[in-house]
Amino acid sequence: MNFGDLEEIWTDYESARFVVLPVPYDLTASYLPGSRRGPAAIIDASSHLELYDEELDMETYQKGIHTLPFLEIQVGDPQCVVDAVRNRVTKIISDGKIPVVLGGEHTVTLGAVLAAHDCWREITVLYLDAHADMRDVYQGSKFSHACVARRISEICPLVQIGVRSLSFEEKNYIMEKGLTCLTTREILNGSLDLDKLIGNLGETVYITVDVDVLDSGIMPATGTPEPGGISWMQLLDIVKCVCRTCRVIGFDIVELCPVPGLVAPDFLVAKTTYRIMGYLSLKER
């Protein structure tokens, strides 16, 4: 199935502005597995979207949205998954398109960031997540979902937003490296300065959204939930500002762990994905 259940005229790869890459992978999940089912749930929910976006007053799908086949995963080796995502996303960017990666666990983001860095060099990653993900090694792997931000910080600058769970080791690493990490508490207290955020990001940005950055009341369907979190509108306000001001060359949404019979979180992620495509299309209009 194509994202949005679109007619073939809007899904041709050559003319599509956006290319959706589903990556059903959750080998390193450390609490609840199941995010491997996230991409299918998002694409299924997207078939129920209204394709007219009332906020943007446009039909984003007319920019073209091509959905690639689900990435085949070698479940025994996280490095192979990272490499496979990197190769696929490099091709998408090289073809002049915007990659939209649907996870799967957060490890898949590393491959996409490596590809973005290969193609653009000077990039910053906007990392929206409840967890710092700054461990050097977790459960014996440097490619755990708990290590993704640490690996990214070794490649390019990143700015973290929405963190409300981290280890002492991670806190020390963030302080030592002088990394920008804005907690959920600071956002809810009104300390988020969007102009300052833009200044920290630079011109070219890749965005990654772990759905657990959202309040668990509206996003219970995730493998490592944390109490509290930002609202859907707060998430959109942040992403909209970045898309309006910076050159966003790709994004992903990860860590949806579908709950049977509970479709609202799946639909929320599908609508968020479509809305971000809309923000990027609006800038080009």
Side-chain angles (χ1 to χ4, degrees):
M1 179 185 293
N2 294 313
F3 185 93
D5 196 21
L6 301 175
E7 296 179 11
E8 189 172 342
I9 187 176
W10 305 114
T11 64
D12 176 66
Y13 182 86
E14 295 303 320
S15 59
R17 186 71 183 104
F18 302 96
V19 176
V20 175
L21 174 62
V23 188
Y25 173 75
D26 66 357
L27 179 65
T28 77
S30 54
Y31 193 176
L32 295 177
S35 61
R36 64 186 180 278
R37 298 192 298 271
I42 297 166
I43 291 172
D44 181 60
S46 74
S47 67
H48 301 281
L49 288 169
E50 288 287 359
L51 296 175
Y52 167 73
D53 190 311
E54 84 292 345
E55 177 190 343
L56 305 179
D57 188 25
M58 65 185 296
E59 293 178 305
T60 303
Y61 74 90
Q62 293 188 13
K63 289 288 186 176
I65 304 173
H66 180 84
T67 305
L68 292 171
F70 282 47
L71 191 64
E72 294 186 7
I73 300 300
Q74 295 186 33
V75 295
D77 187 352
Q79 176 71 67
C80 288
V81 176
V82 171
D83 291 343
V85 174
R86 182 181 190 173
N87 292 337
R88 196 65 61 88
V89 173
T90 296
K91 174 70 163 58
I92 295 168
I93 296 176
S94 298
D95 287 341
K97 304 178 187 307
I98 296 176
V100 179
V101 180
L102 303 180
E105 64 169 66
H106 218 152
T107 305
V108 306
T109 297
L110 180 56
V113 169
L114 284 164
H117 186 257
D118 290 341
C119 295
W120 288 92
R121 308 310 298 175
E122 299 295 329
I123 67 164
T124 304
V125 174
L126 177 63
Y127 199 96
L128 294 127
D129 198 321
H131 306 91
D133 292 347
M134 283 285 183
R135 296 176 187 267
D136 187 32
V137 178
Y138 191 67
Q139 295 182 339
S141 175
K142 284 181 170 286
F143 295 97
S144 166
H145 70 117
C147 306
V148 177
R150 179 72 166 255
R151 298 287 82 81
I152 291 173
S153 74
E154 296 164 353
I155 301 165
C156 63
L158 83 163
V159 173
Q160 294 182 293
I161 291 184
V163 172
R164 56 190 188 273
S165 175
L166 71 168
S167 69
F168 192 62
E169 169 203 346
E170 291 172 298
K171 179 256 188 186
N172 285 340
Y173 181 80
I174 290 168
M175 297 294 290
E176 174 190 334
K177 297 297 183 181
L179 302 176
T180 302
C181 180
L182 191 65
T183 67
T184 301
R185 188 179 300 277
E186 291 172 287
I187 297 171
L188 298 180
N189 287 344
S191 299
L192 176 61
D193 182 334
L194 289 175
D195 290 334
K196 185 177 180 181
L197 168 65
I198 296 302
N200 286 330
L201 286 173
E203 181 179 353
T204 305
V205 176
Y206 180 91
I207 298 175
T208 177
V209 180
D210 184 326
V211 298
D212 65 28
V213 74
L214 294 166
D215 187 273
S216 54
I218 61 170
M219 182 46 64
T222 186
T224 314
E226 286 290 339
I230 63 176
S231 71
W232 188 61
M233 290 298 185
Q234 287 171 318
L235 170 64
L236 293 182
D237 285 345
I238 293 167
V239 174
K240 175 167 58 176
C241 179
V242 175
C243 290
R244 184 176 62 236
T245 311
C246 303
R247 181 197 295 120
V248 175
I249 50 88
F251 71 94
D252 64 60
I253 302 188
V254 298
E255 297 284 358
L256 175 69
C257 187
V259 177
L262 183 63
V263 298
D266 307 349
F267 188 81
L268 183 155
V269 179
K271 185 154 188 172
T272 303
T273 304
Y274 192 62
R275 179 63 54 82
I276 296 174
M277 292 183 196
Y279 291 150
L280 295 175
S281 299
L282 191 66
K283 185 175 182 179
E284 297 177 349
R285 191 164 62 174

